[in-house]
């Protein structure tokens, strides 16, 4: 099997990470859940780990791209979402969710993500400009996920009368934000300064959570 990355140690390390996170994710998926919209979060994390593992093991598949997406989603986006939730609930609702960001696991996860992503770029077999395409794929995936999750939430609100409804204006903003991410992902190849547009896409991603 040809290693996905040029450094064999890093390749085996990343394979181990994808395998462990896949196993943890499958275990979480088997646990009981109350709302499917929350279950989707575990489903997305598990799918990214499994897809990265499969593409790294099978020759001819784009293991680099999907392993980098796995790193970003699992070890970087997830901690940043928790950090974002901590600040927004503190500022807008005066609720201190310090347990989200004061655990060692939070910092271990984020540090691991930065190290793994740096290694994925350093030991890549492709030019660094190729990685902007990874960002375009990631934006399209995140935007699609947000739309699916919003639709699921709306179905749950209609079915479970105890859940507070989402205002129409908030639904429109959420749909526009998710749609903008998908559209930006498709435009990435035509635009210059790819990294800048990836950052803009993630700003839109976090704006989605404000409303």
């Amino acid at each position: 099997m040809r290693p996905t990355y040029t450094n064999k140690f890093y390749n085996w390390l990343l394979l181990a990470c994808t395998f462990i996170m896949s196993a943890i994710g499958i275990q979480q998926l088997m646990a009981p859940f109350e709302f499917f919209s929350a279950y989707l979060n575990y489903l997305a994390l598990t799918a990214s780990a499994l897809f990265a593992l499969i593409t790294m093991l099978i020759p001819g598949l784009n293991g680099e791209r999907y392993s980098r997406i796995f790193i970003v989603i699992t070890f970087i986006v997830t901690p940043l979402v928790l950090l974002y939730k901590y600040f927004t609930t503190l500022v807008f609702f005066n609720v201190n969710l310090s347990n989200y960001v004061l655990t060692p696991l939070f910092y271990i996860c984020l540090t691991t993500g930065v190290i793994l992503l740096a290694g994925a770029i350093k030991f890549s077999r492709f030019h660094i400009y190729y990685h902007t395409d990874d960002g375009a794929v990631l934006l399209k995936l995140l935007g699609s996920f947000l739309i699916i999750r919003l639709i699921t939430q709306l179905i749950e609100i209609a079915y479970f009368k105890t859940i507070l409804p989402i205002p129409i204006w908030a639904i429109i903003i959420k749909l526009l934000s998710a749609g903008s991410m998908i559209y930006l992902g498709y435009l990435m190849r035509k635009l210059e300064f790819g990294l800048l547009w990836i950052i803009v896409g993630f700003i839109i991603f976090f704006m989605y959570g404000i409303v």
Side-chain angles (χ1 to χ4, degrees):
M1 181 185 73
R2 184 191 182 210
T4 304
Y5 292 91
T6 57
N7 185 289
K8 288 186 177 180
F9 173 78
Y10 176 80
N11 200 73
W12 282 109
L13 175 64
L14 192 52
L15 272 172
C17 288
T18 56
F19 178 79
I20 292 169
M21 295 308 296
S22 297
I24 293 173
I26 291 171
Q27 185 180 20
Q28 289 176 327
L29 292 178
M30 292 179 179
F33 63 93
E34 186 175 3
F35 299 112
F36 189 71
S37 56
Y39 185 78
L40 278 174
N41 297 332
Y42 296 111
L43 190 61
L45 289 170
T46 306
S48 70
L50 280 171
F51 209 71
L53 179 63
I54 292 168
T55 54
M56 287 184 72
L57 290 174
I58 299 177
L61 299 179
N62 199 338
E64 271 204 33
R65 169 165 293 168
Y66 293 104
S67 61
R68 279 193 288 269
I69 289 175
F70 156 74
I71 293 168
V72 173
I73 290 177
T74 305
F75 296 107
I76 297 178
V77 170
T78 301
L80 288 180
V81 166
L82 293 177
L83 184 64
Y84 170 81
K85 189 174 181 64
Y86 165 73
F87 280 116
T88 52
T89 52
L90 186 64
V91 172
F92 294 108
F93 304 104
N94 199 28
V95 177
N96 191 345
L97 299 176
S98 57
N99 57 308
Y100 279 22
V101 295
L102 293 182
T103 60
L105 184 61
F106 172 84
Y107 299 99
I108 292 171
C109 185
L110 193 57
T111 304
T112 301
V114 171
I115 293 171
L116 287 177
L117 186 60
I121 295 172
K122 181 178 180 180
F123 303 125
S124 174
R125 296 183 183 276
F126 300 96
H127 194 278
I128 191 168
Y129 291 113
Y130 175 82
H131 302 158
T132 57
D133 287 345
D134 299 347
V137 173
L138 181 58
L139 288 179
K140 287 184 279 188
L141 288 174
L142 286 175
S144 301
F145 170 76
L146 292 178
I147 290 176
I148 293 171
R149 195 174 188 277
L150 177 61
I151 293 171
T152 306
Q153 286 178 312
L154 293 176
I155 294 172
E156 288 174 343
I157 289 169
Y159 186 78
F160 299 102
K161 303 301 182 182
T162 55
I163 304 177
L164 292 175
I166 303 174
I168 297 296
W169 63 267
I171 294 172
I172 294 171
I173 293 175
K174 285 178 181 290
L175 285 173
L176 288 175
S177 299
S180 299
M181 291 177 65
I182 297 172
Y183 184 63
L184 189 58
Y186 280 107
L187 284 180
M188 283 284 292
R189 291 186 178 181
K190 300 177 182 179
L191 299 172
E192 297 181 357
F193 311 109
L195 180 60
L196 174 63
W197 292 113
I198 292 173
I199 294 171
V200 170
F202 273 98
I203 291 173
I204 296 172
F205 172 75
F206 286 109
M207 285 176 61
Y208 173 97
I210 293 178
V211 294

